Amino acid sequence: MHDQSSGTLASNLPNDNYAVMPDELWDGISEHSIKNVAVIVNGEIIQDVISRNMVPDNINTINLPGCTLLPGLIDAHVHYSSVMGPAFLSAGVTTVRDVGNDLDWIIKERLFNEQNKDRGPNIICCGHLQDGPIKYWPNMGRANINADSVRLSVKEHIEAGVDAIKLYDGLDAEMVSAGIDEAHRLGKPVTAHLVVCTVEDAVSAGLDCIEHLSGCKTAWHNSSEKEDQTLIDLLLKHNVTIDPTLVIFDRVAKELDLVFARDASRQWVHPSHLQYWNESGYPKTDDFQARLNHQQEILYLKRFLLRANQSGVTTAIGTDTPFPRLTPGFSLHDEMANYVDAGIKPVEVLKSATSVNAKVLKIESNSGKILKGFNADFVVVKGNPINDIRDIQKTRLVVHKGMVISQNKLQKEMESSFDDIPDDAITLDFLDRLDK
């Protein structure tokens, strides 16, 4: 048995067949972690999960004392740029759902990541935001003038190969209903950012997932438990998932908090995105009342999230990266802490970021769990985040599609991208806003 420390792995360890031996393992679904087990990786899959004393003598091993192995994390709300890939992997995020991007670009980027394991996470994509007659984001959005227009666009996107459909805030109830009907007819799920269309109309039409708790007015106010429960019962009746993205609202509410300027994870953010963060004027720094209102809303959102989760509403977890002060990958750690701060048990939060998100993204047959035959996507952290969610940020090893990811190589990839301006929709929309 050839043992190596995590610090020398990527350069010396064959990536086809090896064993990872942490102190503890959490499989993505259990209430507790287990000890004295090893994960055997063969190619891109988990060949087996066995007792440590059953590991063959002739296999390379990675011994990680004091650490816990868990499934690779999944961020369910991202607007992806190729310059984010290294950051996501560095943070242990091996899969993302892109919920708004240029259709052709994101399809190509998804394929690129499939073929280049160490350049970025797996991508589940929706293509363009399906917006109303006036699209809010010129590059990420697709304008639609009526219900028939939405149907045609949804059909085009699904035929192009997207995994899901994202409906945006300019669509009215008729357009939302048409989009959902067409997507479901073609076998794809639908998530939405609701503004014009009410949550009642969207849910009744068969919506699968709600982003940001948008349209859920009850969740944003000092509502009674009975009022919250009425909305929760509606979500449960129609089996609707929520993806609250609390972290973006937390960032908006605390725009003047200097801790974000000192955040070491900012080194992973492309200069063009940092420029937008610093110069966009969003939110306005002189509007103290708005910030106080946002801070109050965060408490209401957390209270609703806890009530919904405890009532059995499927709770996904995402971030809205890369909007202001949301570092790719690392902001998911912050969102997980928000869930715990709301009162949800760490193990339930970890499920949201792994097996629950995998189910929401329709990849649960091979992702989100540490099981024989599943994809070899996992992260090993110092400590145990079931006991302390903050341990999720103490990354010691990331494996993506069976490949041991080199942190040094990720940093070099990141730095090499800083000289060029990305051509993806989110960056172009950011820079377009600054120009205006």
Side-chain angles (χ1 to χ4, degrees), residues 362-373:
K362 309 296 184 184
I363 56 173
E364 72 271 23
S365 64
N366 57 20
S367 299
K369 303 172 187 174
I370 304 298
L371 294 175
K372 181 178 180 179

Side-chain angles (χ1 to χ4, degrees), residues 219-238:
W220 291 82
H221 297 104
N222 189 19
S223 304
S224 67
E225 185 171 357
K226 182 179 179 181
E227 289 171 321
D228 276 351
Q229 195 61 48
T230 298
L231 175 56
I232 289 168
D233 288 343
L234 178 69
L235 299 174
L236 288 172
K237 178 182 177 181
H238 295 276

Side-chain angles (χ1 to χ4, degrees), residues 142-158:
R142 170 72 68 84
N144 295 279
I145 60 173
N146 54 35
D148 288 339
S149 175
V150 175
R151 283 186 181 276
L152 287 173
S153 185
V154 167
K155 184 173 185 290
E156 175 196 339
H157 277 63
I158 292 175

Side-chain angles (χ1 to χ4, degrees), residues 104-257:
D104 293 336
W105 185 91
I106 195 64
I107 292 290
K108 292 176 182 176
E109 196 70 11
R110 182 181 65 182
L111 178 61
F112 177 84
N113 283 10
E114 288 174 359
Q115 297 173 342
N116 298 271
K117 305 174 187 179
D118 58 349
R119 296 292 292 277
N122 307 312
I123 297 174
I124 304 300
C125 67
C126 300
H128 287 101
L129 303 166
Q130 300 297 329
D131 210 344
I134 300 175
K135 53 185 178 181
Y136 188 79
W137 296 102
N139 292 284
M140 287 190 291
R142 170 72 68 84
N144 295 279
I145 60 173
N146 54 35
D148 288 339
S149 175
V150 175
R151 283 186 181 276
L152 287 173
S153 185
V154 167
K155 184 173 185 290
E156 175 196 339
H157 277 63
I158 292 175
E159 288 178 347
V162 299
D163 304 290
I165 293 296
K166 169 72 174 293
L167 304 180
Y168 205 52
D169 59 10
L171 302 181
D172 61 24
E174 182 182 5
M175 297 164 85
V176 165
S177 180
I180 293 170
D181 182 68
E182 186 68 14
H184 286 178
R185 185 181 73 82
L186 297 173
K188 298 298 180 182
V190 181
T191 193
H193 180 161
L194 301 171
V195 175
V196 175
C197 180
T198 67
V199 64
E200 290 81 9
D201 284 340
V203 167
S204 297
L207 184 66
D208 298 291
C209 183
I210 299 175
E211 303 299 320
H212 314 300
L213 291 172
S214 59
C216 301
K217 295 180 180 180
T218 299
W220 291 82
H221 297 104
N222 189 19
S223 304
S224 67
E225 185 171 357
K226 182 179 179 181
E227 289 171 321
D228 276 351
Q229 195 61 48
T230 298
L231 175 56
I232 289 168
D233 288 343
L234 178 69
L235 299 174
L236 288 172
K237 178 182 177 181
H238 295 276
N239 194 29
V240 180
T241 297
I242 57 172
D243 183 11
T245 66
L246 299 178
V247 67
I248 181 59
F249 306 118
D250 184 66
R251 295 291 195 263
V252 169
K254 300 176 181 176
E255 195 274 341
L256 296 184
D257 194 334

